Amino acid sequence: GASWLVMAGAGLPGLIKGLLLSSILLPFMLVMTVKDFSKGEMCRDRSTGIALASFPVLLLVAALLTQPNSWFQMRYYVPALAAMLLASGHWIVNVQRWKSNAIILGLSMLPGLIVFGARRAQATADVAALDVSPAVWLEENAAEDASVAAADIGAVKWLTDLYVLDLDGLVTPERLPSDATAGWEWIQERADYLLAFPEQYSDLLKDGVGSLEFLEGFGTPKSIICGEDSVAIWAIH
């Protein structure tokens, strides 16, 4: 987990910007919630308060350390944001002028809703270029009994009958390339194709370079949600 922090110094500011954009007041509310809960205020006893205060903080740390890549995408932080909002809401209703505070907190979320809503609309170009097009190519060119190791399996599984190895979802340690795992060897034994983002999976490509044949590349003019504006398919030999 901590290795992602070392790898992605450029990605962390984007995460901080996204978290603040979600609600610029939410971090402040979380700090106040943790402070008051830790003192045993607004709950039965101090131990209960500490447990309540720890929950959103632990979810935030867990998301930071367990995200599957070093691109700090906001989707991995939705549970932590939800816990922060619930904890902050509990704090708001126990302070003076809670109704006006709740309104102010709600209004502070509008810019984030507008920005992220617009991004999701623009992301249809990403989906078409980086998810659907590669899946269509595999459906038209791969053998029916072939298997593909994919970084983003959604469209591949919907649009093809191929057996898919998930590289960026419900993974086990041996599927990922690193000094401590089987990484590439595990994938090479089980897959006929590799579908991945070249930059995000550069270590994996480096490990398997002698066994990979580039087949097709796909790009999008402006990447909104994928962290990278291209994806490629390789044959594994």
Side-chain angles (χ1 to χ4, degrees):
S3 62
W4 294 124
L5 300 179
V6 177
M7 291 170 54
L12 192 55
L15 169 65
I16 295 172
K17 178 182 177 181
L19 291 174
L20 290 176
L21 183 60
S22 299
S23 171
I24 195 169
L25 293 180
L26 199 53
F28 166 75
M29 296 290 187
L30 180 64
V31 171
M32 297 302 297
T33 301
V34 170
K35 179 179 73 69
D36 288 350
F37 278 173
S38 298
K39 293 179 178 179
E41 300 178 11
M42 302 182 298
C43 54
R44 291 175 297 178
D45 53 64
R46 189 175 183 184
S47 60
T48 302
I50 291 175
L52 290 172
S54 301
F55 190 64
V57 175
L58 290 176
L59 278 177
L60 190 63
V61 173
L64 188 65
L65 296 179
T66 62
Q67 58 185 22
N69 57 50
S70 57
W71 289 78
F72 297 97
Q73 298 181 51
M74 282 291 293
R75 57 181 173 170
Y76 304 129
Y77 295 84
V78 170
L81 283 168
M84 290 168 63
L85 185 59
L86 290 171
S88 299
H90 187 76
W91 175 78
I92 285 176
V93 298
N94 284 278
V95 298
Q96 293 181 349
R97 299 177 56 194
W98 71 269
K99 291 183 179 180
S100 58
N101 288 348
I103 292 173
I104 293 171
L105 178 61
L107 290 175
S108 76
M109 296 179 183
L110 287 179
L113 288 173
I114 294 171
V115 170
F116 291 124
R119 286 182 183 177
R120 297 306 300 185
Q122 296 171 29
T124 54
D126 280 9
V127 172
L130 304 182
D131 291 329
V132 175
S133 294
V136 171
W137 190 96
L138 286 168
E139 176 65 16
E140 294 175 348
N141 293 277
E144 291 184 1
D145 60 347
S147 58
V148 54
D152 197 344
I153 73 170
V156 178
K157 201 59 183 173
W158 273 102
L159 300 177
T160 78
D161 294 323
L162 301 178
Y163 181 79
V164 181
L165 302 179
D166 187 0
L167 298 181
D168 196 17
L170 299 176
V171 297
T172 54
E174 65 269 16
R175 298 194 187 193
L176 298 177
S178 75
D179 294 338
T181 67
W184 173 252
E185 289 78 9
W186 192 95
I187 296 169
Q188 185 179 16
E189 291 173 359
R190 294 164 173 80
D192 302 299
Y193 297 93
L194 172 66
L195 171 59
F197 298 100
E199 188 174 346
Q200 293 185 42
Y201 284 81
S202 58
D203 287 345
L204 179 59
L205 300 177
K206 179 180 64 179
D207 290 343
V209 66
S211 305
L212 291 173
E213 176 191 356
F214 176 82
L215 297 177
E216 194 74 25
F218 306 86
T220 182
K222 183 179 179 182
S223 179
I224 301 296
I225 60 172
C226 296
E228 193 170 337
D229 59 4
S230 64
V231 69
I233 298 174
W234 293 264
I236 299 176
H237 300 294

